[in-house]
Amino acid sequence: MLSLRDRVTVLAGLAGIAGLAWAYLLFDSGRMSGMSMGEPIVVMAMRPWAVVDFLLMFLMWTVMMAAMMLPSVAAAVLVYAAVLRRIAPQQPHAPSVAIFVFGYLLAWMVYSLAATGLQWGLDRLALLTPMMEASSPIIGGGLLIAAGVYQLTPIKRACLKHCQAPLTYLAQHWVQGVGGALNMGLRHGFYCIGCCWAIMLLLFVGGIMNLLWVAAIAIFVLLEKLAPLGGRAGRWLSSFAAV
């Protein structure tokens, strides 16, 4: 079992990274608002993407996923650190814990790359507004329905089960060493993507830079993973939204 000091250290580290991510999102949102006042953002949206635009959007998605998902992975990181402490009490576990978290974020970087590509495609087809939300009610409604339906699928339930039971997950997939930490963090991240990918696409409904919408989805994901009956409540809420 982790000492209070170790638990505080782990949680403070995760909170620090998530806090920096939210600070970046606030800065970026303010910067875009300022640009929309000084230069018509519609004109900017009509400009074809350059490589730097794609990279900046990929960075934004990556930071946004870190801000949204790090709170919900805290339980898994604490369990991983506790298992390390129990198996090798004399060895420093901070590097392995950091690598586990990096592997988790690496999985979400893959998702961020796919989301950036989707955003680029929708933008090229003129299906996004300048505020980066779906310009067509049909697309927005379709995304809501798809997210609600996915909540009811066996794949969703299986992935959510892994996220809600980190000790069981680690027992089933434990690999020793630094490489094992990266492998388990990465694999856990992909289970979380399997759980949350459809919900994250709702960012295209409320607006990618709508921070209230981003925060609402982050809270939904956190409650779904950590709260009692979270999975059942998540399915009810998503099914209601789809209707």
Side-chain angles (χ1 to χ4, degrees), residues 21-242:
W22 279 106
Y24 176 86
L25 292 178
L26 286 168
F27 168 78
D28 205 36
S29 177
R31 180 180 62 86
M32 291 189 65
S33 297
M35 291 171 65
S36 65
M37 295 176 186
E39 178 182 2
I41 197 168
V42 175
V43 175
M44 296 175 60
M46 293 175 61
R47 176 173 59 83
W49 284 29
V51 173
V52 67
D53 297 317
F54 190 94
L55 292 176
L56 287 173
M57 292 309 304
F58 171 64
L59 174 63
M60 186 200 71
W61 273 99
T62 298
V63 172
M64 186 159 54
M65 293 301 102
M68 297 173 74
M69 298 307 300
L70 280 176
S72 69
V73 80
V77 177
L78 286 172
V79 170
Y80 175 73
V83 172
L84 276 179
R85 176 64 72 189
R86 184 180 183 88
I87 292 176
Q90 303 302 324
Q91 297 180 7
H93 62 277
S96 293
V97 172
I99 291 172
F100 180 89
V101 174
F102 173 75
Y104 180 82
L105 293 177
L106 188 61
W108 280 103
M109 287 177 67
V110 175
Y111 180 85
S112 298
L113 183 62
T116 305
L118 175 61
Q119 182 183 344
W120 173 78
L122 291 173
D123 187 73
R124 286 205 56 165
L125 294 173
L127 295 177
L128 291 180
T129 69
M131 297 309 295
M132 293 182 281
E133 61 185 2
S135 60
S136 167
I138 295 176
I139 295 177
L143 288 173
L144 283 169
I145 292 172
V149 170
Y150 184 73
Q151 291 289 104
L152 306 175
T153 63
I155 295 177
K156 162 70 181 191
R157 291 196 295 271
C159 292
L160 181 59
K161 184 178 179 181
H162 279 276
C163 294
Q164 290 177 325
L167 183 58
T168 302
Y169 162 77
L170 291 173
Q172 293 174 345
H173 301 94
W174 186 265
V175 183
Q176 292 279 35
V178 172
L182 180 64
N183 178 281
M184 288 184 288
L186 185 66
R187 188 189 292 253
H188 186 63
F190 281 122
Y191 273 120
C192 285
I193 291 173
C195 176
C196 303
W197 69 269
I199 295 174
M200 292 302 176
L201 290 184
L202 296 184
L203 290 168
F204 288 107
V205 178
I208 296 173
M209 290 306 297
N210 183 338
L211 296 189
L212 289 178
W213 189 248
V214 173
I217 294 176
I219 293 171
F220 176 88
V221 169
L222 180 64
L223 293 178
E224 185 179 47
K225 290 185 178 182
L226 301 182
L229 301 179
R232 187 178 301 174
R235 291 194 294 275
W236 289 342
L237 287 172
S238 296
S239 299
F240 177 77

